[in-house]
Amino acid sequence: MKKITDRIKTAILAGTTLIAPAIAFAGEGVEVNHLGVNNTLVRVTGDSNLLILPVQESIDDARINILVDGKIAETIYVRLAQSKTDFTVPFDLSRYKGHNVILDILAPHDRSSIREAKDAVCWEGIHLADSFDTSNRETKYRPLFHHTPEYGWMNDPNGMFYKDGVWHLYYQYNPYGSKWQNMTWGHSSSADLINWKHEPIAIRPDGLGSVFSGSCTIDNDNTAGFGKDAVIALFTSAGTSQMQSLASSTDNGKTFSVYPGNPVITLESEARDPNMFWNEDTKEWNLVLAHALDHEMLFFTSPDLKNWTLQSAFGKGMGAQDGVWECPDLFQLPVDGTDAKKWVLLCNLNPGGPFGGSATQYFIGEFDGKKFTADTDANGNIPTKWMDYGKDHYATVSWSNAPDNRRTVIGWMSNWQYAADVPTSQYRSANTLPREMKLFTQPDGQIYLASVPSPEIDALRGKVVSSLSGKSIGKKPTAVSLPATNSGACEITANIDAKNASSIVMTLANKAGDKVVMTYNPKNHTMSFDRRECGIIDFNENFPAVTVSPTFEQNGKISLRIFIDRSSIELFGNDGNFVMTNLVFPNEPYSTLSLKSEGGNAKVESVKVFSIKQQ
Ligand code: FRU
């Protein structure tokens, strides 16, 4: 039912003709005043916690200044629905209780008349509410055991820290749509790295800009003066330019106060994604900052997290140099589980990944608290190394203060090439599984980074639904079935001796004809992952792809742990020595895995398919 606002009623009773401003229909407690082709004022006259905004994804953003008692309190960008509503998003009014709130809306400049402005379906759809339905509408593709935002867009993981038994995960978040915009720190927490609780928004844009990626640390000795054990966040304020800002939390990361002295670091060129840590050797804070367009990382020191001194730069001309360098991380790890240690510099870059778009490269070397020096190979070159050989692994960084000296990381499971086009709409993007970092040495002396699923993930294993053991396979495919319980989600383990074969072909398939083909080539020591026929692929030309990884083995034996979670596949090979993370959008869940061997028989020592325990 359309509601006629009191003002219209009054105007009609008074016999006035409504010429301008025209007051349109809207929900009760919301008054819409059109001021011209592109400008509309929405006045909130009722008293509720939420204002529900209709969104149409194909429309450009409207700029909305939120006026509170006549002053601009914040500016948000929303694709307000013009001809149809794809979904709605809530705007939180509870922060402005007892104040006058007006939305001053500047629509994209492509309307031709006031009629078109008035006809936009959003005006009838805007309404007040006290609750917002977040129940899952993405039953086909929302993962069962990976972290996703309740609704809206997510990219990089940010500011992760562990404290008092809780893993905190912040993330680049758009609360007002499922495409990139309004960068805000969303927040989730977990006691087991599997079950995530959605927490209230942690840091919102302010006058310096939106809140880009960054890190958190625990200030055990109160060096910054916000209190002992305060959680300190450093992030990039992205306004007209990029600068680094600080925020502090004294309630374990639930709420943050932005530091009034921001920004704490300014440079004359684009730099972002500060990653800081306490250096026990030098007894001062270190920070790595991505000097994005210069393809280098900058290293700073500080006694108090507020005053930072630039010490050095690393990276020009080294490793993969395409695109921009982003989201650094720097940490020390034991080599091959011994007492020897090396520093690892994570360097995300976009584009320029091995299969197009975004990816994570890393450098192994030494860091003396001021300067990072990369190890060279036998020829004196600094080799380019990749952390994951799929297309959907980006912005990976680690938790600070993780227990038991663990170095636990998580990535964004998408690719900037097509992240905004993937076939989900209530939410967009999931995180990878959390992974533990290890270093291993190859016969040529080179040290590489391995990623093993975090041990907490083992708790997901349900029943073995099908298996093979001690079976010789040849050209004729042998199939095992995937679980019907929690269908679309499972873990598969496989140990195969392929030294007498030229390739092992493992195919995931369903009755709709979709398939994913994973091929191990023991002669070339490679694994390939072909998703060109995995299901829905036509939403972006860069999505269909074959990715290839080195397998880092010498003996033709392969051991795999494969996690399938509705729209993602993570393949961990040879105890995490190689990983391939790829999204897939099957028309229906894959129901079988078939295996065959070419160029000679192979021995399947074991294959086990586990269902996933109901979460
Ligand atoms: C990486 C990135 C970061 C930036 C953030 C903005 O994906 O571009 O460099 O801080 O995303 O959302």
Side-chain angles (χ1 to χ4, degrees):
M1 262 289 278
K2 290 173 183 170
K3 302 260 182 207
I4 301 177
T5 66
D6 288 348
R7 272 224 209 159
I8 297 180
K9 274 192 223 152
T10 319
I12 293 168
L13 290 174
T16 327
T17 35
L18 293 170
I19 304 165
I23 302 169
F25 299 117
E28 196 152 10
V30 180
E31 203 180 88
V32 179
N33 303 266
H34 296 294
L35 304 178
V37 178
N38 294 307
N39 193 200
T40 301
L41 284 189
V42 171
R43 184 194 295 268
V44 178
T45 56
D47 183 26
S48 294
N49 287 332
L50 303 173
L51 183 65
I52 307 297
L53 305 171
V55 172
Q56 181 174 2
E57 287 226 297
S58 56
I59 296 294
D60 285 342
D61 281 305
R63 189 201 71 197
I64 308 180
N65 282 334
I66 311 290
L67 307 180
V68 177
D69 297 338
K71 295 203 178 86
I72 300 178
E74 54 181 311
T75 301
I76 63 173
Y77 296 84
V78 185
R79 296 168 185 265
L80 285 177
Q82 177 69 36
S83 58
K84 71 171 173 85
T85 299
D86 295 326
F87 54 84
T88 60
V89 291
F91 177 79
D92 178 10
L93 289 168
S94 67
R95 293 170 294 149
Y96 304 126
K97 268 242 144 64
H99 296 273
N100 291 306
V101 177
I102 290 179
L103 280 66
D104 181 5
I105 301 171
L106 183 67
H109 288 274
D110 53 2
R111 286 179 181 155
S112 56
S113 66
I114 185 83
R115 169 97 333 262
E116 208 187 322
K118 287 173 158 178
D119 281 350
V121 298
C122 60
W123 312 126
E124 279 187 47
I126 291 186
H127 65 278
L128 293 176
D130 282 311
S131 62
F132 180 68
D133 182 9
T134 55
S135 50
N136 182 29
R137 296 197 305 273
E138 302 284 0
T139 46
K140 202 163 171 186
Y141 294 137
R142 193 191 285 266
L144 186 67
F145 56 91
H146 287 75
H147 173 257
T148 52
E150 244 176 344
Y151 62 90
W153 163 274
M154 174 177 81
N155 55 289
D156 315 356
N158 294 150
M160 297 105 77
F161 71 93
Y162 175 89
K163 191 164 187 276
D164 302 338
V166 182
W167 301 84
H168 291 272
L169 167 63
Y170 302 84
Y171 51 89
Q172 290 286 281
Y173 184 43
N174 181 5
Y176 308 120
S178 297
K179 290 184 188 281
W180 186 91
Q181 194 49 282
N182 302 306
M183 281 299 110
T184 297
W185 274 26
H187 180 198
S188 295
S189 64
S190 174
D192 59 8
L193 288 171
I194 299 172
N195 296 289
W196 292 97
K197 179 173 169 229
H198 294 109
E199 303 278 3
I201 281 173
I203 312 179
R204 291 175 190 271
D206 66 8
L208 290 180
S210 55
V211 190
F212 274 19
S213 291
S215 58
C216 279
T217 194
I218 298 164
D219 189 8
N220 293 317
D221 297 328
N222 192 21
T223 61
F226 297 104
K228 185 176 157 30
D229 297 336
V231 179
I232 308 295
L234 265 186
F235 57 88
T236 302
S237 291
T240 311
S241 302
Q242 298 183 353
M243 60 212 115
Q244 317 314 317
S245 291
L246 186 149
S248 62
S249 168
T250 49
D251 59 4
N252 279 351
K254 212 166 185 77
T255 58
F256 281 85
S257 305
V258 170
Y259 175 49
N262 282 339
V264 294
I265 300 177
T266 57
L267 292 170
E268 288 171 359
S269 47
E270 205 164 298
R272 57 178 171 269
D273 312 335
N275 198 308
M276 66 184 149
F277 62 95
W278 175 253
N279 190 322
E280 205 40 63
D281 295 335
T282 57
K283 302 276 185 256
E284 56 183 355
W285 295 102
N286 276 129
L287 180 145
V288 194
L289 191 61
H291 206 193
L293 308 176
D294 297 69
H295 308 125
E296 63 182 4
M297 296 299 181
L298 305 178
F299 297 83
F300 293 74
T301 54
S302 171
D304 60 4
L305 295 162
K306 292 174 185 157
N307 297 290
W308 292 95
T309 308
L310 177 61
Q311 300 288 356
S312 66
F314 166 85
K316 272 215 170 100
M318 292 170 196
Q321 286 277 313
D322 285 352
V324 287
W325 280 27
E326 305 182 313
C327 301
D329 200 353
L330 178 64
F331 46 81
Q332 211 179 14
L333 286 177
V335 181
D336 300 310
T338 66
D339 287 343
K341 287 186 175 171
K342 281 283 176 189
W343 286 84
V344 181
L345 176 65
L346 298 187
C347 169
N348 289 280
L349 92 165
N350 174 50
F355 314 108
S358 37
T360 310
Q361 68 173 326
Y362 64 92
F363 299 92
I364 305 285
E366 302 296 341
F367 179 63
D368 64 5
K370 292 197 161 71
K371 193 173 183 288
F372 178 83
T373 313
D375 289 356
T376 51
D377 61 17
N379 303 319
N381 299 321
I382 296 174
T384 304
K385 295 175 178 172
W386 300 102
M387 197 172 170
D388 189 293
Y389 287 86
K391 272 199 84 148
D392 299 297
H393 172 274
Y394 194 55
T396 303
V397 286
S398 66
W399 263 272
S400 65
N401 200 41
D404 310 319
N405 283 326
R406 285 169 64 176
R407 186 52 66 174
T408 309
V409 303
I410 201 164
W412 175 47
M413 196 155 54
S414 198
N415 189 312
W416 278 115
Q417 283 183 328
Y418 44 71
D421 303 329
V422 298
T424 63
S425 72
Q426 185 186 25
Y427 80 97
R428 274 213 185 87
S429 297
N431 288 107
T432 64
L433 282 178
R435 302 165 181 193
E436 306 296 314
M437 302 285 90
K438 293 193 306 184
L439 292 178
F440 66 100
T441 311
Q442 282 291 280
D444 63 358
Q446 282 296 303
I447 299 174
Y448 291 89
L449 188 58
S451 308
V452 184
S454 294
E456 285 82 354
I457 301 306
D458 293 354
L460 287 167
R461 277 189 183 174
K463 292 200 181 80
V464 176
V465 296
S466 51
S467 62
L468 298 173
S469 92
K471 191 175 167 60
S472 172
I473 54 165
K475 276 196 197 123
K476 198 167 151 282
T478 303
V480 289
S481 46
L482 306 190
T485 324
N486 277 334
S487 70
C490 66
E491 181 190 347
I492 302 170
T493 59
N495 289 293
I496 301 169
D497 184 342
K499 62 176 169 304
N500 299 324
S502 60
S503 65
I504 305 293
V505 183
M506 293 166 283
T507 305
L508 294 164
N510 61 21
K511 293 209 177 65
D514 305 329
K515 60 178 184 180
V516 170
V517 185
M518 296 166 284
T519 308
Y520 169 46
N521 183 322
K523 304 284 181 292
N524 297 342
H525 310 285
T526 57
M527 173 72 84
S528 70
F529 187 113
D530 182 348
R531 69 172 178 197
R532 289 174 300 177
E533 293 174 58
C534 71
I536 300 176
I537 53 160
D538 59 0
F539 52 88
N540 185 297
E541 60 177 11
N542 292 308
F543 185 77
V546 182
T547 73
V548 184
S549 176
T551 47
F552 296 106
E553 64 24 87
Q554 322 299 327
N555 55 5
K557 281 189 173 186
I558 195 131
S559 77
L560 302 173
R561 272 183 91 176
I562 303 173
F563 292 87
I564 306 178
D565 197 0
R566 299 204 167 128
S567 52
S568 66
I569 301 180
E570 284 155 289
L571 182 153
F572 295 85
N574 295 336
D575 202 19
N577 286 4
F578 70 96
V579 194
M580 307 175 86
T581 303
N582 282 309
L583 295 179
V584 289
F585 295 98
N587 289 292
E588 58 182 72
Y590 303 119
S591 48
T592 55
L593 169 73
S594 67
L595 298 100
K596 65 177 181 181
S597 174
E598 280 166 359
N601 280 7
K603 181 149 179 232
V604 175
E605 283 159 6
S606 80
V607 167
K608 282 185 189 161
V609 181
F610 298 89
S611 63
I612 297 294
K613 276 192 196 148
Q614 184 71 48
Q615 289 302 299

